[in-house]
Protein backbone atom coordinates (compact mmCIF):
# COMPACT_ATOMS: atom_id res chain seq x y z
CA UNK A 1 0.00 0.00 0.00
CA UNK A 2 1.45 3.35 -1.01
CA UNK A 3 1.91 6.23 1.38
CA UNK A 4 -0.91 8.76 0.94
CA UNK A 5 0.31 12.01 -0.53
CA UNK A 6 -0.32 15.29 1.25
CA UNK A 7 -2.36 17.87 -0.67
CA UNK A 8 -0.13 20.35 -2.40
CA UNK A 9 -0.24 23.81 -0.78
CA UNK A 10 -1.93 26.50 -2.83
CA UNK A 11 0.89 28.48 -4.49
CA UNK A 12 -1.25 31.62 -4.24
CA UNK A 13 -1.39 31.49 -0.44
CA UNK A 14 1.47 33.98 0.08
CA UNK A 15 -0.21 36.50 -2.22
CA UNK A 16 -3.40 36.05 -0.24
CA UNK A 17 -1.45 36.55 2.99
CA UNK A 18 -0.01 39.78 1.57
CA UNK A 19 -3.53 41.06 0.94
CA UNK A 20 -4.65 40.14 4.47
CA UNK A 21 -1.55 41.85 5.87
CA UNK A 22 -2.45 45.00 3.92
CA UNK A 23 -5.96 44.95 5.37
CA UNK A 24 -4.70 44.49 8.94
CA UNK A 25 -2.16 47.26 8.40
CA UNK A 26 -5.04 49.57 7.51
CA UNK A 27 -6.95 48.56 10.64
CA UNK A 28 -3.83 49.12 12.72
CA UNK A 29 -3.10 52.65 11.64
CA UNK A 30 -6.78 53.55 11.38
CA UNK A 31 -7.01 53.09 15.13
CA UNK A 32 -4.50 55.94 15.64
CA UNK A 33 -4.47 57.99 12.43
CA UNK A 34 -7.30 60.29 13.49
CA UNK A 35 -5.78 61.13 16.86
CA UNK A 36 -3.39 63.65 15.31
CA UNK A 37 -6.32 65.03 13.29
CA UNK A 38 -8.52 65.86 16.29
CA UNK A 39 -7.11 69.38 16.90
CA UNK A 40 -7.44 70.10 13.17
CA UNK A 41 -11.02 68.85 13.19
CA UNK A 42 -11.76 71.00 16.21
CA UNK A 43 -10.66 74.11 14.33
CA UNK A 44 -11.91 73.30 10.80
CA UNK A 45 -15.20 71.58 11.67
CA UNK A 46 -15.95 73.29 14.95
CA UNK A 47 -15.95 70.00 16.86
CA UNK A 48 -16.21 70.42 20.64
CA UNK A 49 -14.53 68.08 23.13
CA UNK A 50 -17.48 65.68 23.27
CA UNK A 51 -17.65 65.42 19.48
CA UNK A 52 -13.91 64.82 19.31
CA UNK A 53 -14.30 61.98 21.80
CA UNK A 54 -17.06 60.43 19.72
CA UNK A 55 -14.91 60.76 16.60
CA UNK A 56 -12.20 58.78 18.36
CA UNK A 57 -14.51 56.31 20.14
CA UNK A 58 -17.32 55.55 17.67
CA UNK A 59 -15.02 53.30 15.64
CA UNK A 60 -13.88 51.36 18.71
CA UNK A 61 -17.33 51.06 20.31
CA UNK A 62 -18.90 49.61 17.16
CA UNK A 63 -15.89 47.35 16.63
CA UNK A 64 -16.10 45.98 20.18
CA UNK A 65 -19.89 45.54 20.07
CA UNK A 66 -20.01 43.70 16.74
CA UNK A 67 -16.81 41.64 16.67
CA UNK A 68 -18.26 38.56 18.37
CA UNK A 69 -21.45 38.25 16.27
CA UNK A 70 -19.41 39.14 13.15
CA UNK A 71 -17.08 36.20 13.74
CA UNK A 72 -20.04 33.85 14.19
CA UNK A 73 -21.62 35.14 10.98
CA UNK A 74 -18.44 34.18 9.15
CA UNK A 75 -18.50 30.70 10.67
CA UNK A 76 -22.06 30.07 9.53
CA UNK A 77 -22.31 31.86 6.18
CA UNK A 78 -18.74 31.68 4.91
CA UNK A 79 -15.63 33.42 6.20
CA UNK A 80 -14.49 34.58 2.77
CA UNK A 81 -17.94 35.99 1.95
CA UNK A 82 -18.25 37.88 5.23
CA UNK A 83 -14.64 39.10 5.07
CA UNK A 84 -15.36 40.62 1.66
CA UNK A 85 -18.55 42.11 3.11
CA UNK A 86 -16.54 43.70 5.92
CA UNK A 87 -14.01 45.13 3.48
CA UNK A 88 -16.81 46.62 1.35
CA UNK A 89 -18.40 48.20 4.45
CA UNK A 90 -15.03 49.57 5.56
CA UNK A 91 -14.44 50.95 2.05
CA UNK A 92 -17.84 52.64 2.10
CA UNK A 93 -17.11 54.31 5.45
CA UNK A 94 -13.72 55.48 4.20
CA UNK A 95 -15.25 57.01 1.06
CA UNK A 96 -17.85 58.78 3.19
CA UNK A 97 -15.04 60.15 5.36
CA UNK A 98 -13.30 61.75 2.36
CA UNK A 99 -16.14 64.24 1.85
CA UNK A 100 -17.08 65.04 5.45
CA UNK A 101 -17.65 68.64 6.44
CA UNK A 102 -19.46 68.15 9.74
CA UNK A 103 -18.51 66.40 13.01
CA UNK A 104 -21.65 64.26 12.89
CA UNK A 105 -20.69 62.93 9.46
CA UNK A 106 -17.18 62.11 10.69
CA UNK A 107 -18.69 60.15 13.59
CA UNK A 108 -21.03 58.33 11.18
CA UNK A 109 -18.16 57.45 8.85
CA UNK A 110 -16.09 56.12 11.74
CA UNK A 111 -19.01 54.03 12.99
CA UNK A 112 -19.47 52.47 9.54
CA UNK A 113 -15.75 51.71 9.40
CA UNK A 114 -15.98 50.11 12.85
CA UNK A 115 -18.73 47.80 11.59
CA UNK A 116 -16.52 46.76 8.69
CA UNK A 117 -13.51 46.28 10.96
CA UNK A 118 -15.60 44.02 13.23
CA UNK A 119 -15.94 41.60 10.30
CA UNK A 120 -12.38 41.99 9.02
CA UNK A 121 -10.41 41.51 12.22
CA UNK A 122 -11.62 38.07 13.41
CA UNK A 123 -12.23 36.63 9.95
CA UNK A 124 -8.83 37.62 8.57
CA UNK A 125 -7.28 35.43 11.27
CA UNK A 126 -9.80 32.60 10.88
CA UNK A 127 -9.04 32.04 7.16
CA UNK A 128 -5.34 31.39 7.80
CA UNK A 129 -5.72 27.69 8.78
CA UNK A 130 -7.33 27.00 5.42
CA UNK A 131 -4.34 28.51 3.60
CA UNK A 132 -1.36 27.33 5.66
CA UNK A 133 -0.35 24.05 7.20
CA UNK A 134 0.89 23.71 10.78
CA UNK A 135 4.51 24.30 9.75
CA UNK A 136 3.71 27.64 8.09
CA UNK A 137 0.81 28.83 10.22
CA UNK A 138 2.90 30.47 12.94
CA UNK A 139 4.68 32.57 10.31
CA UNK A 140 1.37 33.63 8.77
CA UNK A 141 -0.20 34.52 12.12
CA UNK A 142 2.92 36.46 13.08
CA UNK A 143 2.81 38.43 9.84
CA UNK A 144 -0.85 39.38 10.31
CA UNK A 145 -0.38 40.28 13.98
CA UNK A 146 2.78 42.24 13.20
CA UNK A 147 0.98 44.23 10.50
CA UNK A 148 -1.71 45.25 12.96
CA UNK A 149 0.90 46.30 15.54
CA UNK A 150 3.02 48.12 12.94
CA UNK A 151 0.01 50.13 11.84
CA UNK A 152 -0.28 51.85 15.21
CA UNK A 153 2.95 53.87 14.95
CA UNK A 154 2.39 54.49 11.25
CA UNK A 155 -0.99 56.09 11.94
CA UNK A 156 0.21 59.36 13.54
CA UNK A 157 3.01 59.82 10.97
CA UNK A 158 0.82 59.14 7.92
CA UNK A 159 -2.08 61.15 9.32
CA UNK A 160 0.14 64.07 10.23
CA UNK A 161 1.82 64.19 6.81
CA UNK A 162 -1.53 64.01 4.98
CA UNK A 163 -3.05 66.79 7.07
CA UNK A 164 -0.07 69.06 6.42
CA UNK A 165 -0.31 68.59 2.63
CA UNK A 166 -3.93 67.75 1.77
CA UNK A 167 -7.51 68.25 2.95
CA UNK A 168 -9.01 66.73 6.08
CA UNK A 169 -10.67 63.81 4.28
CA UNK A 170 -7.30 62.57 3.00
CA UNK A 171 -6.81 60.65 6.26
CA UNK A 172 -9.70 58.46 5.10
CA UNK A 173 -8.67 58.30 1.43
CA UNK A 174 -5.44 56.45 2.30
CA UNK A 175 -7.59 53.41 3.17
CA UNK A 176 -9.22 53.12 -0.23
CA UNK A 177 -6.46 51.57 -2.41
CA UNK A 178 -5.34 49.08 0.25
CA UNK A 179 -8.88 47.94 1.00
CA UNK A 180 -9.67 47.67 -2.72
CA UNK A 181 -6.63 45.41 -3.17
CA UNK A 182 -7.82 43.34 -0.23
CA UNK A 183 -11.26 42.88 -1.79
CA UNK A 184 -9.80 41.73 -5.12
CA UNK A 185 -7.39 39.36 -3.40
CA UNK A 186 -10.18 37.80 -1.33
CA UNK A 187 -12.33 37.33 -4.43
CA UNK A 188 -9.62 35.59 -6.46
CA UNK A 189 -7.27 34.02 -3.90
CA UNK A 190 -9.13 32.98 -0.76
CA UNK A 191 -11.00 29.66 -0.49
CA UNK A 192 -14.41 29.62 1.18
CA UNK A 193 -14.63 27.96 4.61
CA UNK A 194 -17.47 27.53 7.11
CA UNK A 195 -18.19 26.02 10.51
CA UNK A 196 -21.92 25.21 10.62
CA UNK A 197 -21.52 23.77 14.12
CA UNK A 198 -20.67 27.17 15.62
CA UNK A 199 -23.24 28.88 17.91
CA UNK A 200 -25.95 30.89 16.24
CA UNK A 201 -25.87 34.67 16.36
CA UNK A 202 -28.25 35.79 19.10
CA UNK A 203 -29.82 39.05 17.96
CA UNK A 204 -30.96 40.07 21.44
CA UNK A 205 -27.52 39.46 23.00
CA UNK A 206 -25.88 41.44 20.20
CA UNK A 207 -28.31 44.31 20.75
CA UNK A 208 -27.71 44.28 24.52
CA UNK A 209 -23.95 44.42 23.92
CA UNK A 210 -24.15 47.33 21.48
CA UNK A 211 -26.63 49.35 23.54
CA UNK A 212 -24.84 48.66 26.83
CA UNK A 213 -21.46 49.79 25.52
CA UNK A 214 -23.02 52.73 23.68
CA UNK A 215 -24.83 54.26 26.65
CA UNK A 216 -21.82 53.63 28.91
CA UNK A 217 -19.53 55.58 26.57
CA UNK A 218 -22.21 58.26 26.18
CA UNK A 219 -22.27 58.77 29.94
CA UNK A 220 -18.47 58.98 30.17
CA UNK A 221 -18.28 61.51 27.31
CA UNK A 222 -21.15 63.69 28.54
CA UNK A 223 -20.05 63.64 32.19
CA UNK A 224 -17.52 66.51 32.04
CA UNK A 225 -19.91 68.77 30.11
CA UNK A 226 -23.24 68.05 31.83
CA UNK A 227 -21.83 67.23 35.25
CA UNK A 228 -21.27 63.77 36.73
CA UNK A 229 -24.33 64.15 38.92
CA UNK A 230 -26.72 65.16 36.13
CA UNK A 231 -29.79 63.04 35.46
CA UNK A 232 -28.68 62.28 31.90
CA UNK A 233 -25.26 60.97 32.94
CA UNK A 234 -26.51 58.99 35.93
CA UNK A 235 -29.34 57.60 33.82
CA UNK A 236 -26.84 56.51 31.17
CA UNK A 237 -24.73 54.67 33.72
CA UNK A 238 -27.81 53.01 35.23
CA UNK A 239 -29.04 51.94 31.79
CA UNK A 240 -25.60 50.55 30.92
CA UNK A 241 -25.56 48.47 34.12
CA UNK A 242 -29.07 47.12 33.43
CA UNK A 243 -28.28 46.26 29.80
CA UNK A 244 -24.94 44.57 30.52
CA UNK A 245 -26.32 42.63 33.49
CA UNK A 246 -29.19 41.48 31.28
CA UNK A 247 -26.59 40.34 28.72
CA UNK A 248 -24.71 38.32 31.34
CA UNK A 249 -27.90 36.69 32.65
CA UNK A 250 -29.06 35.80 29.15
CA UNK A 251 -25.71 34.31 28.14
CA UNK A 252 -25.56 32.26 31.33
CA UNK A 253 -28.95 30.69 30.60
CA UNK A 254 -28.22 29.77 26.99
CA UNK A 255 -27.10 26.23 26.16
CA UNK A 256 -24.68 27.49 23.50
CA UNK A 257 -23.91 31.13 24.30
CA UNK A 258 -22.11 33.46 21.95
CA UNK A 259 -19.81 34.45 24.82
CA UNK A 260 -18.74 31.64 27.14
CA UNK A 261 -18.78 33.41 30.51
CA UNK A 262 -17.41 30.34 32.28
CA UNK A 263 -14.01 31.44 30.93
CA UNK A 264 -14.04 34.14 33.60
CA UNK A 265 -13.91 31.38 36.20
CA UNK A 266 -10.37 30.63 35.08
CA UNK A 267 -8.08 32.78 37.20
CA UNK A 268 -5.47 33.29 34.49
CA UNK A 269 -8.02 34.28 31.87
CA UNK A 270 -9.87 36.61 34.25
CA UNK A 271 -6.88 38.60 35.47
CA UNK A 272 -5.24 38.75 32.04
CA UNK A 273 -8.49 40.13 30.63
CA UNK A 274 -8.63 42.74 33.39
CA UNK A 275 -5.00 43.72 32.82
CA UNK A 276 -5.50 44.01 29.05
CA UNK A 277 -8.63 46.13 29.59
CA UNK A 278 -6.88 48.54 31.96
CA UNK A 279 -3.85 48.89 29.71
CA UNK A 280 -5.99 49.51 26.63
CA UNK A 281 -8.01 52.07 28.60
CA UNK A 282 -4.82 53.95 29.47
CA UNK A 283 -3.43 53.68 25.92
CA UNK A 284 -6.56 55.06 24.26
CA UNK A 285 -6.76 57.88 26.78
CA UNK A 286 -3.16 58.88 26.19
CA UNK A 287 -3.61 58.75 22.41
CA UNK A 288 -6.53 61.17 22.80
CA UNK A 289 -4.80 63.68 25.09
CA UNK A 290 -1.24 63.61 23.74
CA UNK A 291 -1.88 65.08 20.25
CA UNK A 292 -3.85 67.93 21.82
CA UNK A 293 -0.93 68.72 24.12
CA UNK A 294 1.69 68.50 21.39
CA UNK A 295 -0.26 70.68 18.96
CA UNK A 296 -2.19 73.16 21.09
CA UNK A 297 0.32 73.63 23.94
CA UNK A 298 3.68 72.99 22.27
CA UNK A 299 2.69 74.41 18.89
CA UNK A 300 3.68 71.52 16.60
CA UNK A 301 2.00 70.87 13.27
CA UNK A 302 0.23 67.57 12.57
CA UNK A 303 3.25 65.81 11.07
CA UNK A 304 5.52 67.06 13.86
CA UNK A 305 3.01 65.71 16.36
CA UNK A 306 3.10 62.30 14.71
CA UNK A 307 6.89 62.22 14.87
CA UNK A 308 6.88 63.23 18.53
CA UNK A 309 4.58 60.34 19.40
CA UNK A 310 7.13 57.88 18.07
CA UNK A 311 9.05 57.31 21.34
CA UNK A 312 5.95 55.69 22.82
CA UNK A 313 5.32 53.62 19.70
CA UNK A 314 8.98 52.59 19.53
CA UNK A 315 8.91 51.48 23.15
CA UNK A 316 5.72 49.52 22.50
CA UNK A 317 7.19 47.73 19.47
CA UNK A 318 10.47 46.89 21.24
CA UNK A 319 8.62 45.58 24.28
CA UNK A 320 6.23 43.55 22.14
CA UNK A 321 9.20 41.79 20.53
CA UNK A 322 10.93 41.17 23.84
CA UNK A 323 7.84 40.13 25.80
CA UNK A 324 7.78 36.58 24.42
CA UNK A 325 11.29 35.53 25.52
CA UNK A 326 10.78 37.18 28.91
CA UNK A 327 7.50 35.34 29.44
CA UNK A 328 9.24 32.06 28.57
CA UNK A 329 11.95 32.75 31.14
CA UNK A 330 10.06 34.45 33.99
CA UNK A 331 6.39 33.65 33.36
CA UNK A 332 3.55 35.98 32.32
CA UNK A 333 2.75 37.13 35.87
CA UNK A 334 6.17 38.75 36.33
CA UNK A 335 6.25 40.34 32.88
CA UNK A 336 2.70 41.73 33.04
CA UNK A 337 3.30 43.08 36.56
CA UNK A 338 6.50 44.76 35.41
CA UNK A 339 4.65 46.31 32.48
CA UNK A 340 1.90 47.66 34.75
CA UNK A 341 4.54 49.07 37.13
CA UNK A 342 6.31 50.81 34.22
CA UNK A 343 3.00 52.21 33.03
CA UNK A 344 2.17 53.52 36.51
CA UNK A 345 5.63 55.13 36.77
CA UNK A 346 5.15 56.79 33.37
CA UNK A 347 1.77 58.10 34.49
CA UNK A 348 3.37 59.55 37.63
CA UNK A 349 5.97 61.36 35.53
CA UNK A 350 3.32 62.57 33.10
CA UNK A 351 1.15 63.93 35.91
CA UNK A 352 4.07 66.16 36.96
CA UNK A 353 4.65 67.55 33.47
CA UNK A 354 4.20 71.33 33.38
CA UNK A 355 3.22 73.51 30.45
CA UNK A 356 6.67 75.06 30.48
CA UNK A 357 8.48 71.70 30.20
CA UNK A 358 10.13 70.94 26.89
CA UNK A 359 9.56 67.94 24.70
CA UNK A 360 12.55 66.10 26.21
CA UNK A 361 10.64 65.58 29.46
CA UNK A 362 7.66 64.24 27.56
CA UNK A 363 9.80 61.92 25.44
CA UNK A 364 11.25 60.26 28.55
CA UNK A 365 7.92 59.19 30.00
CA UNK A 366 6.58 58.32 26.55
CA UNK A 367 9.33 55.72 26.12
CA UNK A 368 8.59 54.29 29.57
CA UNK A 369 4.87 54.24 28.78
CA UNK A 370 5.55 52.40 25.53
CA UNK A 371 7.51 49.73 27.38
CA UNK A 372 4.70 49.44 29.90
CA UNK A 373 2.07 49.01 27.21
CA UNK A 374 4.08 46.38 25.36
CA UNK A 375 5.15 44.30 28.33
CA UNK A 376 1.68 44.34 29.90
CA UNK A 377 -0.62 44.08 26.90
CA UNK A 378 1.07 41.51 24.67
CA UNK A 379 1.43 38.72 27.30
CA UNK A 380 -2.03 39.46 28.71
Amino acid sequence: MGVPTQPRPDPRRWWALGAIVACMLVLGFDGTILNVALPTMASQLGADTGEQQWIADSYLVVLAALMLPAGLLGDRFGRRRMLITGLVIFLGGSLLGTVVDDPALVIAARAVMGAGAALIMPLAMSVLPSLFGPDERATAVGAVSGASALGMPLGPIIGGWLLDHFWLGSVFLINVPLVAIGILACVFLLPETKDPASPRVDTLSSALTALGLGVLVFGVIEGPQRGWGSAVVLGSFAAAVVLLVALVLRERRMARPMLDLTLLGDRGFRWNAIAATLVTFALMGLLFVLPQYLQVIQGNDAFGTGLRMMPMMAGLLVASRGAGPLVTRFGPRVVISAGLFALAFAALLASNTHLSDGYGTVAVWLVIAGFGFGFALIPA
Side-chain angles (χ1 to χ4, degrees):
M1 181 181 298
V3 177
T5 58
Q6 295 293 329
R8 186 176 181 181
D10 191 335
R12 303 175 300 173
R13 66 194 184 282
W14 296 109
W15 290 102
L17 177 64
I20 294 174
V21 164
C23 295
M24 295 302 290
L25 187 65
V26 170
L27 295 189
F29 68 66
D30 213 80
T32 58
I33 193 171
L34 273 193
N35 292 85
V36 295
L38 290 177
T40 304
M41 289 182 175
S43 61
Q44 293 188 11
L45 302 181
D48 58 28
T49 302
E51 289 171 328
Q52 291 179 61
Q53 288 179 290
W54 275 115
I55 290 170
D57 292 342
S58 57
Y59 174 86
L60 297 173
V61 170
V62 175
L63 171 63
L66 298 184
M67 186 182 295
L68 185 60
L72 295 177
L73 286 173
D75 289 340
R76 299 194 69 84
F77 299 108
R79 297 179 180 118
R80 171 178 169 271
R81 179 182 303 167
M82 298 311 297
L83 178 57
I84 294 173
T85 301
L87 288 167
V88 170
I89 294 172
F90 194 90
L91 179 62
S94 299
L95 290 172
L96 175 62
T98 62
V99 296
V100 294
D101 57 0
D102 181 82
L105 290 177
V106 180
I107 295 169
R110 292 282 287 170
V112 172
M113 293 165 65
L119 283 164
I120 298 169
M121 192 170 292
L123 296 177
M125 298 295 289
S126 66
V127 300
L128 295 180
S130 64
L131 291 172
F132 299 93
D135 55 333
E136 297 176 332
R137 197 169 298 156
T139 301
V141 171
V144 173
S145 301
S148 181
L150 181 62
M152 291 184 63
L154 287 178
I157 294 178
I158 295 174
W161 186 84
L162 289 172
L163 286 174
D164 284 347
H165 293 83
F166 303 100
W167 81 108
L168 188 60
S170 63
V171 296
F172 295 94
L173 186 63
I174 188 66
N175 299 333
V176 174
L178 292 176
V179 175
I181 291 172
I183 293 173
L184 293 174
C186 290
V187 170
F188 294 107
L189 299 176
L190 286 185
E192 184 62 279
T193 59
K194 298 181 181 180
D195 182 12
S198 65
R200 292 182 177 274
V201 175
D202 181 33
T203 304
L204 180 56
S205 292
S206 301
L208 289 172
T209 304
L211 291 174
L213 290 175
V215 295
L216 176 62
V217 173
F218 176 82
V220 173
I221 289 177
E222 293 297 316
Q225 181 176 351
R226 297 175 181 265
W228 294 104
S230 71
V232 173
V233 173
L234 293 178
S236 297
F237 290 150
V241 170
V242 171
L243 290 166
L244 295 176
V245 168
L247 169 67
V248 171
L249 294 176
R250 179 173 178 81
E251 290 295 289
R252 285 174 64 90
R253 289 198 303 265
M254 296 184 68
R256 301 193 65 202
M258 291 200 309
L259 179 62
D260 186 3
L261 295 173
T262 60
L263 289 171
L264 294 175
D266 181 88
R267 181 180 178 183
F269 181 89
R270 180 176 64 252
W271 287 108
N272 282 336
I274 292 173
T277 301
L278 292 175
V279 173
T280 304
F281 182 84
L283 176 60
M284 292 299 105
L286 184 56
L287 287 175
F288 180 81
V289 173
L290 188 60
Q292 315 264 3
Y293 171 78
L294 291 173
Q295 290 188 46
V296 178
I297 303 301
Q298 294 203 340
N300 299 293
D301 60 15
F303 182 64
T305 297
L307 289 177
R308 285 166 175 80
M309 293 174 66
M310 285 305 98
M312 181 179 69
M313 297 303 184
L316 192 155
L317 288 177
V318 171
S320 65
R321 293 295 300 269
L326 289 176
V327 167
T328 302
R329 182 171 182 178
F330 299 107
R333 181 183 302 179
V334 173
V335 178
I336 294 173
S337 299
L340 292 173
F341 178 81
L343 191 55
F345 182 61
L348 180 63
L349 294 177
S351 68
N352 287 280
T353 300
H354 299 284
L355 297 182
S356 58
D357 290 339
Y359 173 71
T361 301
V362 177
V364 170
W365 59 257
L366 280 180
V367 173
I368 299 173
F371 281 125
F373 288 133
F375 284 127
L377 187 60
I378 302 301

